[in-house]
Amino acid sequence: MFTDGMGVIAMYALTVLLAIPLGKFIAKVYKGDPNAFDFMAPLERLIYRLGGVDPNRQMNWKENLVALVTINLLWFVYGFFMLLFQGSLPLNPDGNPSQTPDLAFNTAISFLVNCNLQHYSGESGLTYLTQTAVIMFFQFVTAATGMAAMVLVFNALRTEVTDKLGNFYVYFVKSITRILLPLSLVVALILAFNGTPASYEGKDSIVTLQGDTVGVSRGPAAGMIAIKQLGTNGGGWFGVNSAHPLENPNYLTNMVEDISIILIPIALVFALGYYINRRRLALVIYGVMTIGFMLLFFPSLFAEISGNPAISQLGVSQPLGSMEGKEIRLGAAASAYWGITTTATSNGSVNAMHDSMTPISGAMQMLDMMINAFYGGVGVGFLNFFVFLIVAVFISGLMVGRTPEFLGRKVEAREMKIASLIAILHPFLILVFTAISSYTLVNMPDADWAVKPGNWLNNPSFHGFSEMLYEYTSSAANNGSGFEGLGDNNFFWNFTCGLVLILGRYLPIVGPVAIAGLLAQKKYVPESSGTLPTDTGTFGLVTFAVIFIIAALSFFPALALGPLAEYFSLK
C-alpha cells in the first residue's frame, strides 16, 4: 500500500510541475508572443484561407458565440451521417455494423460536446474510419472549442474597456496546432512504445494464460488514446477503456494517461495568471480547486484501500484493498485516484469499473461531476468556476456593504441573473431527468418498448438508483463515465441523455462568455482601499462555500437515496 500511495503522490506532483511551465507557454500562445511553435504559422494561415476566416478580425461576444455554435452544428451533421453509414464505408476490417439512428444521434452529440458517453463497446461499435475521422477528430475540435471559449473570457478580464473579445477561430486553431497536437504526439509515442496498437490491421488471435484463443481488436489506438486523455474527452478505443491491457499496458502508461487528464486543466489556471498578469488570483483559484479535489479524493482512497465492508464482515482479508472491477497491475490506490481525476474533469475515462467501486467512491465521483468546477474540462472547467466567482463576488459585496466588483468591473443584476441561471441549470437537468427515469421504471416497467424499463437495471434498490443518477450526472457534466450496470443502449436513454448533453454543454459556455462580454464593456475602475480583493485566501474560502452550498447541497437528497444509503446498508 505504501508503494501504491507513493505512486499517487508522484502522479500529482509531476502534474503540477509540468502544469506551471505549460501554463506560461499557453499564455504566450494566446497572447501572440513568440514561442517554440511559431513554425506552425504557415499551416494556420492555410487553414484560415481554406475556411474563409480573417484572423485579424476582432469579434464581440455574440459574434464569437455564433461562430462557436454554427461550426459545432456542422460537425454534428457530419458525425451523425458517418456513424449512420459506417458499416458501408471503408476501413472496416472487422466488419462492424452501422449504428442505429438513436445510437448515432447519441454518439455524435456525446463526442461533439466533449462528453464521450459511450452506449456501445468501442472496438465493436465503431470502425477504424469513424474512430479516426469522427471520434478522434471530435476529440481535438471539442477540446479546442472549450479552450477558445475560455480565452474569450480571459480577454474580458483585462483592464481595457472593449466590446471585442478576440477571434474564436484563431484561438481554436492555435489550441490544436500549438497545444493539443504536440502534447498528443508525445503521449501517443509513449503509449505505442509500451504496447498500445498503432496500425490499421484487423483483429489478431491470441492464446490467453488459461489456454483460450480469443480475437483482440487492434487499430490506430495510441493516437486516439492520447487526445482522449489530454482533451478531457475520455471515450475509449476499447470497450473497457483504460482498464484494457492494450489501452493502458502498465503502470508507466497509467501514470502518463492519468497525468494527462488534469495537466491542461491545471495549466490553464496558471495561464490565466500569466495572461492577465494576476498570478495571485490564479493561485487562489488553483487553491480552491485543489482543496475541493483532495476533499473528494481522500475519502475515495480510504474506502478503496480499506476493502469492501461486506467482504470484511465475512472474515475475508483484503490486503490489496477492494479489488472488484480493478486491474491487479494498477492497484486500488491508483484506481481511486484515476476515478477522482476523471470525474473532477470532464474526462470520463476509467482504469477500473466505477460500478464495482465502494459506495463512498461512487458518491465522491458523482459529487465531483455535480460540482463540475474542481479543475474541470479543458477550458470549460474555468468557465464553470467563473460562474461561481461571479456569485461569490456578488454575495461578498452585499455582505460588506459595497458594490460588487470583479477585477475593476461592477457585477450588476444582469450578470448575476445569467450566473444564477447557469448555476441552477446543472442540478435541474440531473435531478429532473433522474426523476423522469425513476418514474418510468417504477410505473411503466412492462411498457411495450424495444427494451422494457423493467430491464434497464442489473442491480436493484439503492445501487440501481445510483446507476440512473450517475448516467444523467455524467451527461450533464460532459463527463462520459458510467455505472455500467445500466442498460443504456435503447431509445429512451440515447434520446434523453442526448438532450441533457446538449443543454449541459452549450448553455454553460454561452452564459460565462455573455457575462464576460458584458463586463468588458463596463468602465474599468482601478482597485483602491475600498475594493473587495478577490485574490486572497478569505475570498477563496467564500468561493468554496458558494460552490459547496449551490452545487453540493443541491444533490444531497439524491446522494442520500443512492450511494449513501447503499453504504449504510453494508455496515
Side-chain angles (χ1 to χ4, degrees):
M1 282 301 175
F2 175 78
T3 303
D4 290 345
M6 291 303 296
V8 170
I9 293 172
M11 278 188 276
Y12 188 81
L14 283 171
T15 303
V16 177
L17 289 175
L18 292 170
I20 295 172
L22 179 59
K24 190 172 185 178
F25 170 76
I26 290 173
K28 283 186 175 182
V29 169
Y30 291 138
K31 289 169 72 175
D33 294 344
N35 60 78
F37 287 92
D38 283 340
F39 67 88
M40 299 295 284
L43 174 61
E44 294 163 357
R45 287 194 293 268
L46 176 61
I47 294 172
Y48 300 143
R49 190 176 298 115
L50 293 174
V53 173
D54 178 5
N56 298 315
R57 182 191 171 205
Q58 295 288 304
M59 299 189 289
N60 61 36
W61 66 270
K62 294 179 182 178
E63 292 171 324
N64 277 297
L65 285 177
V66 169
L68 185 154
V69 172
T70 51
I71 198 170
N72 274 255
L73 179 60
L74 289 175
W75 291 333
F76 167 73
V77 175
Y78 158 76
F80 175 75
F81 283 104
M82 286 285 287
L83 295 167
L84 199 60
F85 297 108
Q86 67 175 5
S88 304
L89 298 174
L91 289 179
N92 187 12
D94 298 333
N96 292 341
S98 298
Q99 292 192 351
T100 61
D102 60 298
L103 180 57
F105 168 80
N106 180 273
T107 304
I109 289 178
S110 178
F111 282 85
L112 180 69
V113 302
N114 198 243
C115 179
N116 297 19
L117 187 74
Q118 293 175 286
H119 286 178
Y120 61 89
S121 184
E123 60 264 60
S124 60
L126 295 175
T127 67
Y128 289 177
L129 179 63
T130 49
Q131 285 272 34
T132 53
V134 177
I135 301 306
M136 193 188 303
F137 171 70
F138 278 10
Q139 288 175 330
F140 275 101
V141 298
T142 59
T145 296
M147 295 170 75
M150 175 205 67
V151 183
L152 300 179
V153 175
F154 282 7
N155 287 336
L157 301 181
R158 295 183 296 188
T159 56
E160 61 265 25
V161 178
T162 180
D163 65 339
K164 306 298 183 183
L165 298 185
N167 191 310
F168 166 80
Y169 295 114
V170 171
Y171 301 134
F172 168 79
V173 170
K174 286 187 175 182
S175 296
I176 295 176
T177 58
R178 305 195 182 202
I179 301 169
L180 296 174
L181 267 176
L183 289 174
S184 295
L185 179 61
V186 173
V187 173
L189 286 172
I190 294 173
L191 295 176
F193 278 106
N194 279 273
T196 299
S199 72
Y200 280 90
E201 297 181 24
K203 290 184 178 181
D204 191 16
S205 295
I206 66 169
V207 178
T208 68
L209 293 175
Q210 297 177 194
D212 300 326
T213 300
V214 296
V216 178
S217 297
R218 292 181 287 183
M224 186 267 212
I225 295 164
I227 186 58
K228 89 162 188 186
Q229 299 300 91
L230 287 163
T232 58
N233 295 287
W237 181 278
F238 298 97
V240 293
N241 211 279
S242 288
H244 197 287
L246 294 184
E247 191 155 327
N248 186 12
N250 52 49
Y251 202 89
L252 172 62
T253 60
N254 187 77
M255 289 187 68
V256 171
E257 290 188 32
D258 211 341
I259 288 171
S260 299
I261 293 175
I262 57 175
L263 175 61
I264 295 180
I266 293 178
L268 291 176
V269 175
F270 294 129
L272 167 68
Y274 291 114
Y275 192 83
I276 65 172
N277 199 27
R278 296 269 187 170
R279 298 183 189 179
R280 284 185 60 186
L281 175 64
L283 287 175
V284 169
I285 293 173
Y286 168 72
V288 173
M289 290 181 172
T290 302
I291 290 172
F293 177 85
M294 293 301 175
L295 287 175
L296 294 170
F297 167 60
F298 285 118
S300 179
L301 175 66
F302 180 78
E304 296 307 316
I305 64 176
S306 299
N308 190 314
I311 296 178
S312 298
Q313 291 174 6
L314 299 176
V316 177
S317 176
Q318 301 176 76
L320 299 179
S322 177
M323 290 301 295
E324 181 190 346
K326 298 183 180 66
E327 291 296 302
I328 193 69
R329 69 184 189 278
L330 304 177
S335 299
Y337 181 71
W338 187 303
I340 296 301
T341 57
T342 196
T343 49
T345 64
S346 61
N347 184 270
S349 66
V350 297
N351 71 348
M353 297 299 102
H354 288 190
D355 192 46
S356 297
M357 287 193 174
T358 59
I360 289 298
S361 287
M364 295 301 102
Q365 290 160 4
M366 281 191 267
L367 189 55
D368 233 348
M369 295 182 288
M370 290 165 174
I371 294 172
N372 205 26
F374 295 150
Y375 302 146
V378 287
V380 293
F382 175 78
L383 296 184
N384 292 330
F385 194 91
F386 180 68
V387 169
F388 290 118
L389 277 177
I390 295 299
V391 176
V393 165
F394 192 82
I395 292 175
S396 299
L398 295 179
M399 290 175 64
V400 298
R402 299 186 186 277
T403 301
E405 292 181 7
F406 183 63
L407 301 184
R409 264 75 174 221
K410 291 183 179 180
V411 177
E412 297 175 300
R414 188 162 46 169
E415 294 82 39
M416 190 59 191
K417 288 177 182 177
I418 297 173
S420 299
L421 287 173
I422 298 303
I424 294 171
L425 172 71
H426 190 58
F428 176 83
L429 289 175
I430 295 170
L431 298 177
V432 167
F433 277 90
T434 301
I436 291 172
S437 63
S438 300
Y439 177 87
T440 304
L441 175 70
V442 172
N443 294 280
M444 305 169 62
D446 297 316
D448 189 20
W449 298 350
V451 178
K452 294 182 178 180
N455 296 329
W456 286 346
L457 306 180
N458 288 337
N459 295 281
S461 190
F462 311 123
H463 196 81
F465 176 79
S466 294
E467 290 173 0
M468 296 187 291
L469 177 63
Y470 194 109
E471 189 76 359
Y472 288 119
T473 302
S474 179
S475 299
N478 295 140
N479 185 267
S481 61
F483 273 9
E484 296 308 327
L486 177 68
D488 49 24
N489 186 12
N490 55 72
F491 181 82
F492 179 90
W493 288 100
N494 285 334
F495 181 70
T496 58
C497 286
L499 293 178
V500 174
L501 286 165
I502 295 172
L503 296 172
R505 167 69 167 184
Y506 293 108
L507 292 181
I509 289 179
V510 171
V513 172
I515 293 172
L518 295 172
L519 290 177
Q521 298 175 52
K522 295 184 178 184
K523 180 181 178 181
Y524 175 78
V525 180
E527 295 179 1
S528 64
S529 58
T531 302
L532 175 69
T534 56
D535 56 0
T536 64
T538 301
F539 182 75
L541 290 175
V542 172
T543 305
F544 184 86
V546 167
I547 293 172
F548 182 78
I549 292 170
I550 293 179
L553 293 184
S554 300
F555 295 101
F556 182 77
L559 292 172
L561 292 173
L564 296 182
E566 182 182 3
Y567 168 76
F568 287 110
S569 71
L570 296 177
K571 302 299 283 183

